[in-house]
């Protein structure tokens, strides 16, 4: 897998300019066994600490000041389940579970991390998470969703720098077949200037400027109406254009059009000078000056009926450059924080789109370091995620003795002194159920030589879709935090899709359990717990399984096995990534 | 220069109501741990009370409904009409509601000082201004917790076409979060799977719960509790799926309530109240009329008026109005000033709500605005006063406190008091 990744990488050499390459991994294979970071040491700071070490220093220093008691390091089973879920979107198979638990190499965690980062499932799952971040589960509009998903998957597989992905997305207008998919960001939002302004600010700048559309933000001192319209100004000239001949819808642009704004609070103020305007500008950066053209010479292609105009100067072309520019640290900071939230279960800046001076990060210095390093490592997604998961903060247990007492139930997550329990994403939940029940394994065997990540996914994607529709929230409003709704629980309890895959079929978990001789109840309990919860059962659990199955034969026995699998897969231990 | 699009809260509410069964309902736990005996006794005494909220999302105009100002510069084109209560006039857009006025009381002196959809909705549904760091429960959850019988298998709070989130119940717990019926349908998968029996289902659920408890011993349980309780609630719901059989409305009723979503939702609400659900919220939307205010109100209120009036009259005929409180409200009113697009904008400064049913003095009017409706000139009140009034109307003491985490939290804003003048 590393080899195929390198091949893609060589391809990248050709495509991208040299500066992208300067900080690329020298040799993935070398680092695979050394436990060293994948990234080559930067020449300027040869003795620089790895980011994961800095993370732990920062987390520990705040913890010490407030004398929080940190949770112990996670057990191998805890770590195994967590790292699989976070990097590949599923739990490990029973074989993978056994292999890892039996592995005695001291650096087996790092080895596993590198294996998973190189797997095709990593590219799939992380691209899905990026998709949710960028598109918030919006429905199809103009652009084919599968092509978009494939574009993101490919980008993550190549480990394309995150800022490049975002630049491509902002540069795409949907007219060029090669880059058409990336135009989904604009077009699924119907090119609406307000919707785009709101989403761009929230997603890439960590600022929910919704309230600053009509007036300066009433509660956030830092956020002004100028910020809202600074972003709007990039987009105010753009519009959705459908070329009837080509049967193609694109995001077109005119050469004229300015934003106008005034506060609704002051609209009756007689001293008001009337609406203001602004050039495109990202937050407190420099407004982007524009070339002047003689009247009548503003266009390459002049606007006419049924003709897509092309201006000589495109404001929108400046957007991706301005957002991802080093002059705009909000971008790197927001990306670093969003990815941190994805892996750690909570942002350093929290909520993710409330990054302002009245809501400082839980660890301000760490936030700065993450931002700087994100820029220094040229938005290397894989490197960044790797550093996060190698940290002790990530690898802590979700248990803490303090949780035993009722008063400490709300032990503050923002210290990152225990692993935060993350509800499984809909994708994780679907694939975890498919793995736990053995449904995935049946298809792996069935595919034989044709088995690839894509072919397996093809067979099982309908389950994923079902989970996304039930657990994913609404288009444009993906679920945040944890919710349990009637629809979900009734589906898990009564739907044929779930109960069908649990019941015994050749090669699945129930079938494997039923093939174990009745008298070997310990082996059965082990098989069950390793398959579903990726850990060995303790004594109580082994006894419980034995007593539930004792004396049961035939149909009664199969029914009990099915109910055991269901009960484990529906338990809170399964529902959360802990 | 208006919030024509990005006004977040309202937008999301509308989106929710367009959706199919995808959000149907957050659920929860049974039991009322931590309640004293006195509280429990009071609870028993008020158990039969029920509440229905009509939520007019976007902010209906008080001038086109409960506080018309015909013939003034702000009044718009519509007349005021007499009602079943001598001396009380409302907009001619509500002819049917006018005939039910003897069951209703009006509060015309509301000043919530809030022109934001989300924050206005918060004030009206929690009785407080939003404060960082503390989340008050929404009134559906509040009344579910106070009024729903502890052993009832029914959800205490059902929202019909009005959205809702499991976060609404805050410290009252998931048992009191709304069950959302977003598309006028019962939740899917209510029937037990054919391979199961009730006994087997109960056993596997108790096993599930035992396994979960072992896991949770040394872990944070805020979310796992919600998850576990939702299984109990789902099971209880399966046992009472009869309440969701919405297939038996008579042709005559369908005719009377109107063949549109809102009419159907009102019929559903009637059934849910008849079956004993404690709190039902019914939504009607599209009142955010920044442009074409008058045309929109003709259309929307034309849909609203008849089923709303039929609902009140039916509850009265069936003897349900005696113990059911009705509240018709929204996040704010609309500006008296008519803007350039013949619209009215957000206005929390001087507006109205209507109450009716149990504990309410039919035909009473509280508060008064000036001639053009730009100011409250008598009995100015806010969300706090209304909350006290709701509590008192269903026979509860609004000056008591909740004790989440041992801290006293006043049930209704102590700086305000109930509107005695409209209480029966």
């Amino acid at each position: 897998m590393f080899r195929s990744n390198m091949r893609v990488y060589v391809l990248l050499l050709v495509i991208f300019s040299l500066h992208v390459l300067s900080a690329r991994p020298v040799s993935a294979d070398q680092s695979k066994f050394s436990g060293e970071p994948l990234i080559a040491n930067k020449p300027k700071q040869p003795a620089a600490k790895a980011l994961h070490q800095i993370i732990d220093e920062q987390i520990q220093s705040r913890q010490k000041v407030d004398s929080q008691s940190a949770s112990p390091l996670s057990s191998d089973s805890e770590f195994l389940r967590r790292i699989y879920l976070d990097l590949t979107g599923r739990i490990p198979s029973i074989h993978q579970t056994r292999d890892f638990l039996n592995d005695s190499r001291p650096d087996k965690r790092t080895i596993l991390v590198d294996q998973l980062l190189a797997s095709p499932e990593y590219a799939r799952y992380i691209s899905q998470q990026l998709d949710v971040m960028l598109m918030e589960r919006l429905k199809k509009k103009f652009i084919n969703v599968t092509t978009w998903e494939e574009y993101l998957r490919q980008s993550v597989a190549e480990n394309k720098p995150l800022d490049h992905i975002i630049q491509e997305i902002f540069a795409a207008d949907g007219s060029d077949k090669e880059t058409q998919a990336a135009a989904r960001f604009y077009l699924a939002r119907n090119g609406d200037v307000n919707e785009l302004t709101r989403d761009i600010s929230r997603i890439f700048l960590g600022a929910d400027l919704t309230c600053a559309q009509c007036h300066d933000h009433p509660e956030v001192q830092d956020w002004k109406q100028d910020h809202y319209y600074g972003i709007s100004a990039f987009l105010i000239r753009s519009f959705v254009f459908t070329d009837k001949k080509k049967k193609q819808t694109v995001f077109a642009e005119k050469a004229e059009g300015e934003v106008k704004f005034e506060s609704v609070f002051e609209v009756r103020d007689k001293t008001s000078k009337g609406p203001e305007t602004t050039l495109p500008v990202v937050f407190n950066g420099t407004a982007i000056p524009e070339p002047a053209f003689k009247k009548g010479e503003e266009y390459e292609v002049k606007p006419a009926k049924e003709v897509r105009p092309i201006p000589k100067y495109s404001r929108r072309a400046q957007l991706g450059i301005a957002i991802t520019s080093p002059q705009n640290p909000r971008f790197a900071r927001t990306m670093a924080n969003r990815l941190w939230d994805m892996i750690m279960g909570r942002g350093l800046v929290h909520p993710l789109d409330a990054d302002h001076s009245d809501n400082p990060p839980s660890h301000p210095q760490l936030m700065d370091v993450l931002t700087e390093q994100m820029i220094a490592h040229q938005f290397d997604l894989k490197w960044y995620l790797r550093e996060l998961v190698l940290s002790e903060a990530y690898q802590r247990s979700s248990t803490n003795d303090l949780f035993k007492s009722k008063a400490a139930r709300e032990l503050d997550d923002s210290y990152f002194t225990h692993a935060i329990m993350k509800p499984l994403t809909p994708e994780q939940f679907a694939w975890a159920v498919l793995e736990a029940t053995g449904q995935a394994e049946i298809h792996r065997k069935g595919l034989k030589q044709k088995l690839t990540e894509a072919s397996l996914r093809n067979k099982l994607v309908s389950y994923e879709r079902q989970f996304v529709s039930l657990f994913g929230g609404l288009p444009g409003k993906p679920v945040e935090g944890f919710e349990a709704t009637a629809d979900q629980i009734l589906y898990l309890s009564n739907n044929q899709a779930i109960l069908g895959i649990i019941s015994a079929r050749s090669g699945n978990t129930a079938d494997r359990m039923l093939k174990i001789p009745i008298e070997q109840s310990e082996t059965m309990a082990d098989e069950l717990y390793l398959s579903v919860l990726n850990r060995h059962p303790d004594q109580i659990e082994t006894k419980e399984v034995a007593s539930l199955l004792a004396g049961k034969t035939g149909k009664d026995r199969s029914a009990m096995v099915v109910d055991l699998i269901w009960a484990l897969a529906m338990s809170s231990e399964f529902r959360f990534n802990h | 220069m208006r919030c024509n699009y990005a006004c977040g809260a309202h937008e999301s509410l509308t989106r929710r109501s367009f959706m199919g069964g995808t959000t149907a309902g957050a659920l929860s736990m049974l039991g009322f741990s931590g309640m004293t005996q006195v509280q429990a006794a009071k609870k028993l005494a008020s158990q039969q009370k029920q509440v229905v909220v009509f939520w007019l999302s976007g902010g209906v105009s008080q001038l086109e409904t409960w506080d018309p100002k015909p013939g003034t510069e702000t009044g718009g084109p519509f007349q005021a009409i007499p009602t079943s209560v001598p001396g009380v006039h409302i907009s001619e857009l509500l002819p049917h509601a006018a005939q039910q006025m003897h069951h209703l009381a009006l509060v015309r002196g509301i000043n919530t000082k809030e022109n934001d959809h989300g924050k206005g909705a918060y004030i009206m549904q929690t009785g407080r201004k939003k404060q960082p760091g503390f989340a008050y429960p929404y009134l559906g959850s509040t009344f579910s917790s106070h009024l729903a019988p502890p052993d009832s298998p029914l959800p205490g709070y059902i929202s019909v076409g009005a959205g809702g989130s499991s976060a609404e119940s805050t410290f009252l717990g998931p048992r009191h979060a709304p069950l959302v019926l977003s598309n006028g349908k019962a939740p899917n998968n209510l029937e037990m799977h054919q391979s199961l029996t009730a006994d087997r289902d109960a056993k596997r659920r108790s096993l599930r719960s035992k396994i979960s408890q072992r896991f949770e011993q040394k872990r944070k349980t805020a979310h796992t509790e919600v998850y576990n309780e939702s299984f109990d609630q789902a099971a209880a719901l399966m046992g009472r799926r009869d309440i969701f059989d919405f297939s038996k409305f008579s042709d005559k009723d369908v005719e009377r309530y109107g063949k549109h979503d809102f009419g159907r939702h009102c019929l559903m609400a009637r059934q849910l109240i008849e079956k004993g659900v404690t709190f039902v919220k019914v939504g009607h939307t599209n009142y955010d009329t920044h442009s074409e205010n008058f045309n929109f109100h003709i259309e929307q209120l034309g849909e609203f008026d008849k089923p709303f009036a039929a609902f009140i009259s039916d509850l009265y005929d069936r003897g349900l109005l005696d113990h059911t409180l009705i509240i018709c409200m929204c996040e704010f009113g609309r500006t008296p000033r008519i803007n350039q697009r013949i619209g009215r904008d957000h206005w929390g400064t001087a507006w109205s709500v209507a109450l009716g049913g149990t504990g309410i003095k039919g035909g009473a009017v509280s508060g008064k605005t000036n001639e053009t409706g730009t100011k409250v000139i008598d009995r100015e009140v806010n969300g706090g006063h209304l909350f006290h009034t709701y509590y008192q109307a269903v026979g509860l003491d609004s000056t008591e406190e909740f004790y989440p985490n041992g801290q006293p939290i006043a049930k209704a804003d102590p700086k305000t008091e109930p509107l005695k003048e409209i209480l029966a």
Side-chain angles (χ1 to χ4, degrees), chain A residues 163-202:
Chain A
D163 58 339
H164 284 215
I165 301 179
I166 304 311
Q167 282 166 14
E168 287 175 5
I169 286 169
F170 282 137
D173 63 10
S175 66
D176 177 2
K177 252 217 133 53
E178 291 282 300
T179 60
Q180 196 173 36
R184 173 160 153 79
F185 184 85
Y186 292 132
L187 290 176
R189 291 171 171 91
N190 223 3
D192 183 289
V193 61
N194 286 320
E195 188 164 349
L196 285 168
T197 302
R198 183 190 64 180
D199 288 354
I200 288 167
S201 314
R202 278 177 39 237

Side-chain angles (χ1 to χ4, degrees), chain A residues 210 214 398 485-487 493 496 572, chain B residues 3 6 21 25 193 204 216 219:
Chain A
T210 309
C214 305
S398 55
T485 69
D487 268 19
S493 302
Q496 172 61 24
S572 54
Chain B
C3 297
H193 189 260
R204 68 173 187 157
E216 288 152 23
R219 287 185 170 87

Side-chain angles (χ1 to χ4, degrees), chain B residues 51-106:
Chain B
V51 182
V52 180
V53 164
F54 290 89
W55 181 260
L56 306 186
S57 164
V60 74
S61 167
Q62 70 284 4
L63 298 153
E64 273 68 58
T65 52
W66 313 115
D67 195 12
K69 304 286 178 185
T72 68
E73 56 173 313
T74 56
F78 305 121
Q79 297 304 307
I81 53 169
T83 65
S84 60
V85 177
V88 177
H89 289 64
I90 62 173
S91 168
E92 64 174 326
L93 296 183
L94 297 175
H96 294 91
Q99 292 313 306
Q100 301 298 324
M101 202 62 219
H102 53 291
H103 293 308
L104 296 172
L106 300 178

